[in-house]
Amino acid sequence: MTVSYTLEVADARFGGFCRLLLRWKGSIYKLLYKDFLLFCGVYVFFSVFYRFLLSPKQQDLFERIALYCDQFTNTNFIPVLFVLGFYVTLAFNRWWGQYTNFPLPDNLMMVVSGNVHGTDERGRLLRRTLMRYANLSSVLILRSISTRVLKRFPTMEHIVEAGFMTTHELNNFESLHSDFNKYWMPLTWFSNLASRAREEGRVRDDIALRLLMDELNKYRGKCSLLFHYDWISIPLVYTQVVTLAVYSFFAFCVVGRQFLNPEKGYKDHKIDLYVPVFTLLQFFFYAGWLKVGELIINPFGEDDDDFETNQLIDRNIQVSMLAVDDMYQNLAPIEKDKHWEQRHFPVPYTLSTAAETLTTAFKGSTFDMRMSAEDLEIHQPADTAQKQYLPLEGSQGEVLEGFLLRGKGILRGCSLPSLLDGASLPHEEEEEDASPEENIINQKEQLMSLLKVAVEHNY
């Protein structure tokens, strides 16, 4: 069964991920412990062999070999990181592609439920048969690539017994001889039956039939991609190169990372710790990385983290039949919603989420950006001497006039004498003699002058 720990890491808290290290099912420990114990056993064997079973002359020879192997593993003679990293990336992209191309009937069942009409027994039979054919095709393709599904349906009679196929359909299926996989046959039945439903008027127009065929082809395409993923693997030569690179690297580490006699003064051998801690960690990381690639290269097996294909089959047939049968035209009475008389639709919060109402809605990163008066000026071409400003209408004009009146009050109250010295405002008598349009233009110019002076004096 797939190991899921999403809820446990929903919040990044102290020690949250560390608790995941204690799990056994689906862990790297379960996947790697046999290889790790074998590596430790071989290392101990060579250590005991060097320390207690060799003569002094033989120990000198072993030490020279160990120094040579150590030099070999500490250089780039074996590009383990490069070949291993590229291999795991390739395997992960392949794993994700197989997951996203798993044939799910959700889109198809929505189209069937909405476009194959009839509340009588014939209409119900058409809808259920169409979805049964779609699910039968996915069972056939999964039976060809997944060991779990093959163990569940080892023969075609098991599929008939499960209800995905009738006896007559099985005879029709086996009567058509083909040297290749025939997972596509039920989808051909689907296509022919949809055309018959169009002739009977159950599918009311050609647009609805076209929609059915489009969704069917998308579903068939996913089944075909899964088949080709199973057929065409990552090239065997690259898998062999990666495996040989990792295991040969640690085969040399078994000898090259031995602790030699400190009394002989070899370089980097000043201390004898007996246990190669960092070599063991290196084996755990590199070999574990290789095991990850081996695990995800085919997710249709029976490993802990492989796809739950049998549960997906159960889910698909159940929801598709519910959608096209029980839920067909099964609508609740249309009523006015709770907030019919209200302008807004207030959605309540619980006490645990009430603090979120204090956060203002995000309106854009530049919403609160402040600009100077000079930035508001419109740049005119060289042949235009005077500057113009954007006309403000409606609510913006009202806000502008209100701000202007407050600015004039400040100037008249002499609360900002520096502004009075720098701003040149026309007399009120001239404003009264001017027309309303001219007054608005004058007020806008006064406001811009006031803003310029405020910016110059850092107000």
Side-chain angles (χ1 to χ4, degrees):
M1 183 175 180
T2 303
V3 179
S4 178
Y5 56 90
T6 309
L7 180 61
E8 299 182 19
V9 295
D11 299 321
R13 56 187 183 274
F14 178 76
F17 281 84
C18 293
R19 283 192 287 269
L20 299 177
L21 301 178
L22 303 178
R23 289 195 170 195
W24 174 254
K25 186 175 182 180
S27 65
I28 187 61
Y29 318 121
K30 182 179 179 181
L31 197 63
L32 190 62
Y33 79 95
K34 293 181 180 179
D35 303 75
F36 187 79
L37 292 178
L38 177 62
F39 178 78
C40 293
V42 175
Y43 184 90
V44 170
F45 169 78
F46 277 99
S47 180
V48 173
F49 184 76
Y50 160 68
R51 296 172 186 272
F52 303 106
L53 300 180
L54 296 180
S55 63
K57 186 176 181 180
Q58 292 173 336
Q59 286 182 349
D60 292 339
L61 178 62
F62 181 87
E63 290 165 356
R64 293 176 184 177
I65 297 175
L67 291 174
Y68 176 77
C69 293
D70 184 49
Q71 181 185 5
F72 186 78
T73 56
N74 285 326
T75 57
N76 293 324
F77 292 150
I78 302 180
V80 180
L81 285 177
F82 174 75
V83 297
L84 188 57
F86 186 77
Y87 180 77
V88 174
T89 301
L90 188 63
F92 177 80
N93 291 334
R94 176 185 172 87
W95 173 83
W96 184 251
Q98 292 178 86
Y99 170 73
T100 54
N101 285 288
F102 197 92
L104 297 175
D106 297 57
N107 293 342
L108 188 59
M109 71 187 186
M110 296 299 178
V111 176
V112 171
S113 180
N115 293 279
V116 182
H117 300 283
T119 56
D120 57 347
E121 184 176 351
R122 176 63 177 174
R124 181 188 178 194
L125 179 62
L126 285 173
R127 290 189 299 273
R128 290 181 65 92
T129 305
L130 288 172
M131 293 313 303
R132 183 167 58 82
Y133 286 160
N135 283 276
L136 173 59
S137 180
S138 66
V139 170
L140 292 177
I141 192 62
L142 290 175
R143 182 174 174 267
S144 303
I145 66 176
S146 175
T147 56
R148 291 182 179 182
V149 179
L150 183 61
K151 288 182 179 180
R152 184 180 182 182
F153 305 108
T155 64
M156 296 300 295
E157 285 73 16
H158 288 82
I159 297 179
V160 174
E161 182 66 24
F164 288 97
M165 180 185 287
T166 64
T167 304
H168 295 290
E169 292 167 352
L170 177 60
N171 295 332
N172 191 5
F173 183 85
E174 293 180 343
S175 64
L176 181 64
H177 174 73
S178 177
D179 295 330
F180 302 98
N181 195 313
K182 296 187 290 185
Y183 69 90
W184 47 268
M185 280 191 64
L187 299 180
T188 306
W189 297 343
F190 184 107
S191 176
N192 295 332
L193 187 58
S195 299
R196 182 175 298 179
R198 174 70 181 99
E199 294 174 357
E200 296 177 4
R202 303 286 178 170
V203 179
R204 294 175 181 173
D205 51 45
D206 293 337
I207 297 177
L209 180 61
R210 173 64 183 273
L211 185 59
L212 276 170
M213 300 308 298
D214 287 344
E215 290 299 331
L216 175 66
N217 285 326
K218 293 178 182 178
Y219 189 82
R220 181 207 56 79
K222 291 188 174 182
C223 293
S224 178
L225 276 176
L226 285 187
F227 179 75
H228 285 84
Y229 270 119
D230 183 70
W231 184 14
I232 303 174
S233 303
I234 296 176
L236 178 62
V237 290
Y238 191 54
T239 303
Q240 291 175 340
V241 166
V242 175
T243 305
L244 287 174
V246 173
Y247 284 105
S248 61
F249 176 81
F250 287 106
F252 286 108
C253 285
V254 167
V255 178
R257 301 294 175 85
Q258 292 287 337
F259 287 100
L260 305 181
N261 189 352
E263 297 179 357
K264 295 186 178 182
Y266 294 116
K267 183 180 179 181
D268 298 330
H269 288 275
K270 307 297 183 182
I271 189 172
D272 190 358
L273 296 178
Y274 297 97
V275 179
V277 178
F278 295 104
T279 301
L280 295 179
L281 288 176
Q282 194 175 26
F283 178 85
F284 185 83
F285 297 145
Y286 285 9
W289 206 358
L290 178 62
K291 289 296 181 181
V292 170
E294 296 174 355
L295 175 68
I296 65 179
I297 195 172
N298 182 13
F300 293 101
E302 298 180 74
D303 296 321
D304 289 339
D305 277 315
D306 284 343
F307 297 156
E308 294 292 339
T309 48
N310 284 324
Q311 288 190 9
L312 286 170
I313 290 174
D314 296 339
R315 180 261 176 197
N316 291 344
I317 188 64
Q318 183 181 101
V319 299
S320 58
M321 291 303 176
L322 288 175
V324 301
D325 192 0
D326 296 60
M327 294 189 64
Y328 176 73
Q329 299 297 332
N330 186 10
L331 299 175
I334 301 178
E335 301 177 355
K336 295 180 180 179
D337 60 81
K338 181 179 179 181
H339 306 285
W340 179 265
E341 301 295 338
Q342 301 178 12
R343 183 176 180 181
H344 302 287
F345 201 104
V347 182
Y349 286 78
T350 59
L351 291 178
S352 59
T353 60
E356 298 180 14
T357 59
L358 302 177
T359 304
T360 57
F362 179 74
K363 299 180 181 179
S365 58
T366 63
F367 183 76
D368 295 326
M369 180 178 175
R370 299 184 180 275
M371 301 179 67
S372 64
E374 295 180 355
D375 293 333
L376 299 177
E377 297 177 358
I378 298 179
H379 177 72
Q380 295 292 341
D383 55 349
T384 304
Q386 62 180 8
K387 298 179 181 178
Q388 297 181 0
Y389 303 96
L390 288 174
L392 299 178
E393 299 177 355
S395 60
Q396 294 180 346
E398 296 176 359
V399 173
L400 177 63
E401 293 180 3
F403 184 76
L404 180 61
L405 292 176
R406 284 186 292 171
K408 292 171 68 177
I410 292 174
L411 292 177
R412 291 173 182 150
C414 298
S415 57
L416 294 176
S418 59
L419 295 180
L420 286 173
D421 296 336
S424 58
L425 300 176
H427 297 287
E428 293 184 3
E429 293 79 9
E430 297 177 0
E431 294 180 0
E432 293 176 357
D433 296 338
S435 63
E437 293 79 4
E438 294 176 351
N439 287 335
I440 294 177
I441 295 176
N442 293 334
Q443 290 174 356
K444 291 181 179 179
E445 293 179 352
Q446 293 172 18
L447 174 61
M448 297 309 299
S449 300
L450 180 62
L451 290 175
K452 287 183 179 179
V453 176
V455 169
E456 292 175 358
H457 291 79
N458 297 324
Y459 276 97

